Amino acid sequence: MRVEYINPFVESAFNVMKEVLQGDIKRGELYLKATSMPVMGVAAIVGLAGDVEGRVLFDMEKVTALRIASAMNGEELKSLDDLAKATITELANMITAQAVTKLHELGFRFDLTPPAIFTGDNMEISNQNVEALIVPMETGHGKVEINVAIRERA
Amino acid sequence: MSTQTAEKNSLEQLSNGKKDKADKIDFKMVSFSLAGKEYGIDIMNVKEIAKAGNFTYVPNAAPFVRGVYNLRGDIISIIDLRTMFHLPAERKSDDALESLLILKIGEQAFGVIVDNIDKVIGVSKEGIQPPHPIFGDINIKYIKGIIENQNKLYIILNVEKLFAPKEEEKPGRTDLVKEASVKMPKIGLGGPADDALERSMDVNADFIKETLFSFRNFAVSKVNINWFNRRYNEWKAQRKPTDLQLRELAEADAFLEPFYSPFTGALWSAEYMSALGGIMPAIATKSINVWNPGCGKGYESYSLAVLLKKMYPEARAKIWANDSDLLAISMAPNMVFGAEGISQDHLDFMIKNRNGFVFNQAIRDSIYFEFHDVINNNPIPPADLILCRDTLSFLSAGNQTKLLTDFNEKSRQGCILILGKNEVMPLDNWRRIEGPSLSLYVKAD
């Protein structure tokens, strides 16, 4: 993944989460992962198109998703219902959109697809031929892993 | 500029965590086996390793003292660790060679017989756990601790205690050993000791290989074995026979120093560029795809971009430069240079801004710097040129093979491959082109 893409994603993830969750956010060490990976329980995915092709995946446990959704809505949510799912989707959208805006300012043209959310147990996501950059974020509500896989159009 | 600095800082912070981890190798041990179990001894206590036999029997010594031995003029006692620890030992014929660890404790040197000497392992001191009775056989007092490394448990022996001059628990043991080493007259140099030394050279070379890999991740393979053998003989000529091993990082670096290609971590000189341009076969296509794995800070990517622009001004070059070192590669896209030491070839493609010289947009647009690990999938379009200097050698042997296969798959016919000056291409469908300080290949079919 091109070096120029890394910082916008890291920064916007940090800024957005700090703003909406009002808590202490810690960023873990970045690393690369080969294609396929298990998903923790809830995964919001945003596709990217344009100069590049790829996707951004927000991966977290169900408990974390519920807590984040509760914090963002200002009320205690008991189950991962439509409201909770919509909230997580919105978080993914906010972070990706801000990153893409930053990249646009640097001269890279990206388009977003509407986010989608997957929930379930023992899920695995794989896409061939592209490695993913993992940005681990430690929030007061649990761990969120942001998984960015972007490939240049050859 | 401020965003650039912020970017730099945040990336520096990111990679600091990584660095901490790498720094943690603070304990090195030589591993060996006794009766099928793995043991380790602090490398600081190990003077050398050897293979020897024909020990001179010392009457009335403890059963674990196999005798004495003339190690290049020094008479040392030979102790069989297996007998000492009451482990089953295969009794070889008298002239068979045994694996010896020569230990140095205080002023005394000892030879210790073990079943097999394995390799040097670097571990973190923090990972050493105190001994537990369950690990058996040896008296707990003599165990420094247990460490796990690559799913194996190693028992680290406390050799200072084991061979301490004042041994209270087992009086007489070291006295006997001492007497044995004093009473034997010196026989002088030559004889079986030197033969054994000769034979132990291969083991020494193996040890250096292991150490290079654990210190610098340098893996000896078909790619660089010629260089290694040359360098090993040089090294042997420079150093005392007892001082061959690489004990610390600085020594490993000294060993590797002549390996690196010219202009590592710097822009190429005019001479190097014309030498390379002179022997490089012509590239016919108008759009040149270049793959540059392990580009480090990106100097060589820029130099190559300049060279291609000069040789083929009409063609459109695209350089896919990648490295798995986040800190190094993250500086690459925005590199700023001072004017001195840059050849005119480069200056022609640079513009001056208030911080110094930077490459012009055309050059910068031709290079894609990527944070990427070549061990993972390589989504690279078929390449016309592969620049991979001193990168293969720093992958494990298995990954070297994988990357070489990728070179084959991701290259067009007639693709040019540039390796480090001391590296060779082991696959035989690549034809070598000779040149000074260069290792250049062209893909046949």
Side-chain angles (χ1 to χ4, degrees), chain B residues 27-253:
Chain B
F27 183 81
K28 300 194 71 105
M29 60 180 191
V30 180
S31 69
F32 57 92
S33 64
L34 295 174
K37 279 190 193 167
E38 311 291 336
Y39 295 83
I41 288 182
D42 187 344
I43 201 165
M44 299 314 285
N45 292 122
V46 181
K47 193 165 156 262
E48 62 179 283
I49 51 160
K51 279 214 182 256
N54 264 332
F55 308 118
T56 310
Y57 176 70
V58 180
N60 209 14
F64 52 79
V65 179
R66 279 282 288 277
V68 289
Y69 180 67
N70 175 11
L71 181 81
R72 297 186 297 279
D74 290 326
I75 309 299
I76 59 167
S77 319
I78 303 296
I79 288 160
D80 194 326
L81 265 193
R82 299 164 300 191
T83 324
M84 194 173 193
F85 297 154
H86 309 293
L87 297 170
E90 179 199 350
R91 199 78 195 192
K92 293 180 183 166
S93 62
D94 274 350
D95 52 356
L97 294 178
E98 302 271 15
S99 296
L100 277 184
L101 280 166
I102 313 292
L103 306 181
K104 185 129 194 166
I105 291 125
E107 288 302 296
Q108 279 275 27
F110 299 90
V112 169
I113 301 178
V114 299
D115 280 340
N116 263 314
I117 298 171
D118 189 20
K119 59 185 170 192
V120 177
I121 299 175
V123 294
S124 157
K125 258 184 192 154
E126 281 166 29
I128 301 178
Q129 296 185 12
H132 188 276
I134 209 157
F135 292 103
D137 300 328
I138 311 172
N139 213 329
I140 290 289
K141 287 191 277 294
Y142 305 128
I143 300 181
K144 205 178 249 172
I146 317 289
I147 183 91
E148 198 227 324
N149 183 280
Q150 297 186 338
N151 298 327
K152 272 190 193 168
L153 286 181
Y154 292 89
I155 301 173
I156 304 174
L157 296 179
N158 190 339
V159 281
E160 283 103 338
K161 253 189 190 167
L162 202 55
F163 300 112
K166 286 202 180 88
E167 183 68 84
E168 283 161 20
E169 283 79 22
K170 291 190 178 165
R173 168 192 289 174
T174 30
D175 295 347
L176 275 174
V177 172
K178 262 189 182 166
E179 266 173 50
S181 39
V182 174
K183 274 183 186 165
M184 283 296 296
K186 283 205 173 188
I187 318 167
L189 287 166
D194 282 357
D195 286 354
L197 184 73
E198 205 54 51
R199 275 187 288 263
S200 76
M201 277 312 174
D202 288 339
V203 188
N204 267 328
D206 284 348
F207 252 99
I208 291 187
K209 286 180 196 171
E210 294 283 355
T211 325
L212 286 176
F213 191 69
S214 60
F215 275 131
R216 276 293 176 227
N217 220 31
F218 181 92
V220 177
S221 70
K222 279 184 189 160
V223 172
N224 49 32
I225 184 74
N226 292 341
W227 175 83
F228 179 81
N229 287 339
R230 272 204 315 276
R231 178 68 182 144
Y232 176 64
N233 286 328
E234 242 173 70
W235 187 256
K236 220 161 57 176
Q238 282 168 7
R239 313 271 292 208
K240 281 181 284 183
T242 49
D243 196 24
L244 280 178
Q245 305 286 321
L246 312 172
R247 286 189 189 78
E248 50 196 57
L249 201 59
E251 283 185 329
D253 284 343

Side-chain angles (χ1 to χ4, degrees), chain B residues 408-432:
Chain B
N408 247 350
E409 276 171 17
K410 317 256 163 170
S411 56
R412 295 205 177 116
Q413 215 185 76
C415 171
I416 302 166
L417 170 69
I418 306 169
L419 293 178
K421 70 165 176 176
N422 290 309
E423 293 175 319
V424 295
M425 177 67 177
L427 303 178
D428 44 19
N429 57 336
W430 295 76
R431 183 169 50 85
R432 190 180 169 95

Side-chain angles (χ1 to χ4, degrees), chain A residues 1-8 10-11 27-35 51 106 108 127-136 150-154, chain B residues 6-8 10-11 13-15 17-18 21 318 320 323-324 326 329-331 333 364-365 367-374 376-381 410:
Chain A
M1 191 170 97
R2 280 185 74 166
V3 178
E4 289 92 333
Y5 303 158
I6 298 176
N7 251 313
V10 174
E11 276 170 19
R27 183 194 48 213
E29 189 191 324
L30 306 191
Y31 61 99
L32 292 168
K33 220 173 185 179
T35 56
D51 290 354
L106 294 171
F108 301 103
N127 47 353
Q128 292 304 309
N129 297 331
V130 62
E131 70 188 342
L133 170 79
I134 312 289
V135 186
I150 305 179
R151 182 161 50 154
E152 227 55 33
R153 278 184 191 280
Chain B
E7 193 174 313
K8 187 178 148 184
S10 64
L11 281 165
Q13 279 163 16
L14 294 177
S15 65
K18 213 173 187 179
K21 235 182 225 168
K318 228 184 206 181
W320 306 75
D323 203 286
S324 60
L326 180 55
I329 189 88
S330 60
M331 304 301 189
R364 284 162 65 167
D365 283 348
I367 310 175
Y368 291 169
F369 285 109
E370 293 187 312
F371 176 43
H372 167 66
D373 196 336
V374 286
N376 296 337
N377 253 314
N378 291 304
I380 304 288
K410 317 256 163 170

